[in-house]
């Protein structure tokens, strides 16, 4: 066999090449190249390829997958439901400071029975009772957050019907006002005003964080499937290349140019390549299912992913990231909330000191009569003033222990929050540095992938021409595959760091604005 016939076999090789979309819609493809010399001169090319959806294949970019996950995934719906729950809890809290109007009554209060009645001489006589005792009470109340007390006003009317004696009586309080004021006790309303707004703001920011966490998870599923698709394309191309090389080697073996050992080695490589295709198909099916399940995709037979961009036009400054994180993150809000809760617990321990005193004052008018109108004619005034007191005499140091425990817990919370702030700050700094590092690693891996691809093409040609061993060809073969996977993994790391930075700061450095939903 002469050089021309060998060149004919070389021209039949299936040579792998990557093409990348400049607009970010890159797809990995393998093309037939007519001459090996073209592979020696090949570079990473840029070609525009718009996304399109065929009957059974959906082409997606990374940001489209992230958007779908945020919009229709189960995780996003759970986050929205939790946000709504926190909203109604907030409205419940606000209602505690609003006036309350209520109507209470007993309609009817009918009774027919026999009761025991003590006689003047001490004996018991049983009397028949047949009556109706109905009542209505309309009351208005307002809690005072500064003191913890309650002011109220009410109007009431009562009707009593004695059916045995055919007698009807009315009794009512046309209006009355009063005050119930706890003394020397813990005021929960005052502390709720300081803590509940922090909890609500924390829940709002936690919702945004959850959506950014969904972006991180969706990105991970995206690259799982992208890597699986790349592995399948590599495996199929390697199988084709190995088959082509094996045919040439068989011809050279018949000519006595190669040994039986090389033939067996190529047969083993072919079996490995075929096995790799099967494994890659399995992995792609699993990755496709995981992506569909997380993003909520339905009725889509196939998904084809595009390589995301390898650069993002944004500048990340550590000081800016820290400032935004401490303004936006729910963790930063939680730092203040935990300190306020610790102060509240100390105040509660001091307020619940066993001394319970309550002042109850009421001023109003009341009257009874045989008709409703008579109740409201010249009613008589009524007053109530009482002070209830309970003072512990001996508690064996129980109240002191509670105060000391609350103070110790407050001190522990202060230390814990200080440590959390340090960890939070360090995490932001580390993530900013990691993002910058990933950008550099991505460029290196892109260059390494290009070099490995060119090296592999040259190694194949040299083997066909007979001046390269099968071992060296196998090494170039493996290096080429690994370089392609390393590049995809570096893309994963870069975009993972990008979404992680958004999650930690809740700031969009591309648009230079806070993330709001």
């Amino acid at each position: 066999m002469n050089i021309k016939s060998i060149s004919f076999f070389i021209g039949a090789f299936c040579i792998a090449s990557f093409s990348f979309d400049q607009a970010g819609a890159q797809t990995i493809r393998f093309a037939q190249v007519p001459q090996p010399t073209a592979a020696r001169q090949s570079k990473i090319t840029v070609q525009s390829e718009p996304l399109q959806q065929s009957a059974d294949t959906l082409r997606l970019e990374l940001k489209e997958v992230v958007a779908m996950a945020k919009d229709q995934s189960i995780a996003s719906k759970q986050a929205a439901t939790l946000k709504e729950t926190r909203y109604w809890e907030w409205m419940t809290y606000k209602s505690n400071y609003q006036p309350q109007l209520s109507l209470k009554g007993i309609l009817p209060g009918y009774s027919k029975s026999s009761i025991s009645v003590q006689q003047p001489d001490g004996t018991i006589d049983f009397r028949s009772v047949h009556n109706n005792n109905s009542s209505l009470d309309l009351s208005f109340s307002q809690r005072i957050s500064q003191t913890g007390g309650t002011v109220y006003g009410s109007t009431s009317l009562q009707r009593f019907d004695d059916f045995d004696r055919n007698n009807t009586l009315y009794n009512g309080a046309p209006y009355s006002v009063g005050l119930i004021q706890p003394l020397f006790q813990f005021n929960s309303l005052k502390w709720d005003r300081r803590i509940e707004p922090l909890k609500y703001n924390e829940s709002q920011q936690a919702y945004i964080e959850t959506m950014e966490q969904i972006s991180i998870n969706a990105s991970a599923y995206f690259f799982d499937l992208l890597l699986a698709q790349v592995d399948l394309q590599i495996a199929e191309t390697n199988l084709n290349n190995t088959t082509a090389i094996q045919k040439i080697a068989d011809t050279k073996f018949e000519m006595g140019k190669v040994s039986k050992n090389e033939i067996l080695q190529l047969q083993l490589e072919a079996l490995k390549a075929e096995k790799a295709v099967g494994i890659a198909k399995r992995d792609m099916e699993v990755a496709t299912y995981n992506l569909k399940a997380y993003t909520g995709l339905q009725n889509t037979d196939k998904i084809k992913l595009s390589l995301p961009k390898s650069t993002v036009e944004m500048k990340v400054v550590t000081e800016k990231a820290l400032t935004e994180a401490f303004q936006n993150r729910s963790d930063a809000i939680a730092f203040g909330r935990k300190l306020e809760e610790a102060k509240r617990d100390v105040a509660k321990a001091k307020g619940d000191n066993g001394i319970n005193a309550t002042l109850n004052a009421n001023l109003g008018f009341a009257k009874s009569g045989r008709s409703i109108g008579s109740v409201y004619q010249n009613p008589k005034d009524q007053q109530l003033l009482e002070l209830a007191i309970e003072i512990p005499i001996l508690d064996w140091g129980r109240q002191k222990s509670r105060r000391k425990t609350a103070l110790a817990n407050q001190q522990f919370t202060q230390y814990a929050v200080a440590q959390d702030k340090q960890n939070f700050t360090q995490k932001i700094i580390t993530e900013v540095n990691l993002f910058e590092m990933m950008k550099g690693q991505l460029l290196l891996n892109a260059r390494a992938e290009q070099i490995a691809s060119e090296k592999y093409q040259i190694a194949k040609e040299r083997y066909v021409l007979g001046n390269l061993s099968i071992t060296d060809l196998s090494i170039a073969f493996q290096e080429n595959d690994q370089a392609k996977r390393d590049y995809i993994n570096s893309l994963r790391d870069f975009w993972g760091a990008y979404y992680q930075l958004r999650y930690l700061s809740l700031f969009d450095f591309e648009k230079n604005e806070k993330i709001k939903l």
Side-chain angles (χ1 to χ4, degrees):
M1 179 179 290
N2 56 24
I3 298 297
K4 290 184 179 180
S5 60
I6 294 177
S7 298
F8 173 78
F9 283 106
I10 295 174
F13 271 17
C14 176
I15 299 174
S17 66
F18 283 87
S19 65
F20 297 85
D21 188 337
Q22 188 176 19
Q26 305 98 333
T27 55
I28 299 177
R29 324 192 283 279
F30 295 90
Q32 296 285 344
V33 181
Q35 295 295 335
T37 55
R40 188 178 296 117
Q41 300 173 353
S42 65
K43 304 276 185 187
I44 297 179
T45 59
V46 179
Q47 179 177 346
S48 175
E49 182 176 320
L51 294 175
Q52 57 182 355
Q53 182 176 352
S54 62
D56 60 348
T57 301
L58 179 64
R59 297 186 179 273
L60 294 173
E61 291 182 341
L62 172 60
K63 292 193 174 182
E64 289 179 317
V65 171
V66 169
M68 283 191 297
K70 286 183 174 182
D71 181 60
Q72 59 192 32
S73 68
I74 298 298
S76 67
K77 294 175 182 178
Q78 289 175 329
T81 302
L82 184 59
K83 179 186 177 184
E84 184 178 5
T85 301
R86 295 292 182 264
Y87 169 77
W88 290 114
E89 289 177 352
W90 167 251
M91 297 303 295
T92 301
Y93 151 75
K94 292 181 66 176
S95 68
N96 294 333
Y97 299 86
Q98 302 300 321
Q100 306 293 317
L101 184 64
S102 63
L103 177 65
K104 297 186 296 183
I106 300 176
L107 293 173
Y110 179 79
S111 174
K112 184 177 183 180
S113 63
S114 180
I115 62 174
S116 61
V117 179
Q118 188 174 8
Q119 303 302 304
D121 59 0
T123 60
I124 298 295
D125 190 16
F126 292 94
R127 300 288 179 88
S128 170
V129 176
H130 185 198
N131 59 41
N132 174 60
N133 193 358
S134 302
S135 63
L136 279 176
D137 182 271
L138 180 65
S139 62
F140 165 89
S141 64
Q142 172 68 61
R143 301 188 70 179
I144 307 171
S145 60
Q146 291 80 0
T147 65
T150 303
V151 294
Y152 64 89
S154 67
T155 179
S156 62
L157 180 64
Q158 180 180 6
R159 171 172 172 162
F160 179 79
D161 296 297
D162 188 346
F163 298 113
D164 290 333
R165 298 165 183 79
N166 195 23
N167 187 24
T168 299
L169 291 175
Y170 292 91
N171 183 55
Y175 61 89
S176 64
V177 293
L179 169 68
I180 300 175
Q181 178 60 59
L183 304 175
F184 315 114
Q185 296 182 35
F186 172 70
N187 182 6
S188 62
L189 291 177
K190 182 180 71 174
W191 286 99
D192 285 348
R193 275 193 179 275
R194 300 169 65 173
I195 294 175
E196 290 299 327
L198 294 176
K199 292 175 65 175
Y200 179 68
N201 291 337
E202 184 180 348
S203 69
Q204 297 301 297
Q205 297 307 110
Y207 171 71
I208 301 176
E209 290 173 19
T210 301
M211 300 305 288
E212 290 305 310
Q213 182 62 56
I214 291 174
S215 299
I216 296 174
N217 296 340
S219 173
Y221 285 118
F222 176 91
F223 281 103
D224 285 344
L225 178 55
L226 180 62
L227 186 59
Q229 290 180 347
V230 170
D231 282 342
L232 178 59
Q233 290 173 319
I234 290 174
E236 290 176 341
T237 301
N238 288 342
L239 179 59
N240 293 335
N241 289 346
T242 302
T243 302
I245 292 175
Q246 189 176 7
K247 291 180 179 178
I248 296 176
D250 289 340
T251 303
K252 294 172 68 176
F253 177 73
E254 294 175 357
M255 300 171 57
K257 298 293 183 69
V258 297
S259 64
K260 181 64 174 179
N261 185 57
E262 289 192 23
I263 296 298
L264 294 176
Q265 181 66 35
L266 283 172
Q267 290 176 352
L268 182 60
E269 292 294 336
L271 291 174
K272 289 180 180 179
E274 188 173 355
K275 180 181 177 182
V277 169
I279 295 175
K281 287 182 178 179
R282 179 203 62 190
D283 293 343
M284 192 177 72
E285 289 295 326
V286 173
T288 301
Y289 172 80
N290 291 337
L291 181 65
K292 288 182 178 180
Y294 190 76
T295 58
L297 278 172
Q298 297 178 352
N299 302 325
T300 302
D301 295 333
K302 296 180 182 179
I303 297 176
K304 188 68 176 178
L305 301 182
S306 301
L307 277 176
K309 295 186 296 183
S310 58
T311 57
V312 178
E313 294 298 327
M314 69 185 203
K315 183 179 181 181
V316 182
V317 180
T318 302
E319 290 74 15
K320 177 67 173 177
L322 284 172
T323 300
E324 294 297 333
F326 274 97
Q327 289 179 354
N328 305 332
R329 281 294 301 273
S330 66
D331 291 342
I333 300 174
F335 295 151
R337 173 183 58 80
K338 290 177 182 178
L339 293 175
E340 289 296 323
E341 287 177 342
K343 292 178 183 179
R344 177 200 61 191
D345 294 342
V346 172
K348 188 175 188 303
K350 291 180 178 180
D352 296 342
N353 57 7
I355 301 177
N356 295 323
T358 303
L359 175 65
N360 188 0
N362 182 277
L363 176 64
F365 293 87
K367 190 180 179 182
S368 60
R370 294 189 175 276
S371 65
I372 295 179
S374 63
V375 173
Y376 297 94
Q377 294 176 0
N378 301 319
K380 299 179 180 180
D381 62 325
Q382 62 177 10
Q383 300 88 28
L384 171 68
L385 179 64
E386 64 179 19
L387 178 63
I389 300 177
E390 179 183 355
I391 302 176
I393 303 300
L394 184 64
D395 67 354
W396 305 99
R398 179 172 56 187
Q399 301 304 327
K400 180 180 179 180
S401 299
R402 290 176 177 174
R403 290 195 301 271
K404 293 296 184 180
T405 300
L407 288 170
N409 288 335
Q410 182 186 24
Q411 189 68 50
F412 178 82
T413 300
Q414 291 173 349
Y415 293 146
V417 168
Q419 183 64 59
D420 290 342
K421 285 184 178 179
Q422 289 183 4
N423 295 340
F424 184 74
T425 300
Q426 186 58 47
K427 193 171 184 180
I428 298 295
I429 296 174
T430 301
E431 197 60 39
V432 172
N433 294 335
L434 183 62
F435 177 74
E436 296 299 327
M437 185 185 304
M438 289 301 102
K439 288 198 296 186
Q441 290 294 320
L442 185 57
L443 294 175
L444 294 176
N445 280 297
R447 178 58 180 161
E449 187 277 331
Q450 181 182 4
I451 293 173
S453 179
E454 293 178 0
K455 180 182 176 182
Y456 175 56
Q457 305 302 330
I458 294 172
K460 287 197 302 181
E461 297 173 18
R462 289 183 59 192
Y463 176 77
V464 172
L465 296 174
N467 58 359
L468 187 72
S469 67
I470 187 62
T471 301
D472 292 334
L473 177 63
S474 179
I475 292 174
F477 187 88
Q478 295 172 8
E479 289 177 345
N480 182 48
D481 293 349
Q482 188 59 45
K484 290 178 174 61
R485 295 187 180 95
D486 288 345
Y487 178 71
I488 300 300
N489 283 322
S490 65
L491 275 175
R492 173 200 285 267
D493 293 339
F494 171 76
W495 283 101
Y498 167 83
Y499 284 113
Q500 186 71 18
L501 190 59
R502 284 173 56 97
Y503 168 76
L504 290 177
S505 64
L506 295 188
F507 189 81
D508 190 336
F509 288 94
E510 282 189 279
K511 299 179 181 179
N512 197 32
E513 62 183 19
K514 297 181 186 296
I515 298 175
K516 297 179 181 179
L517 298 176

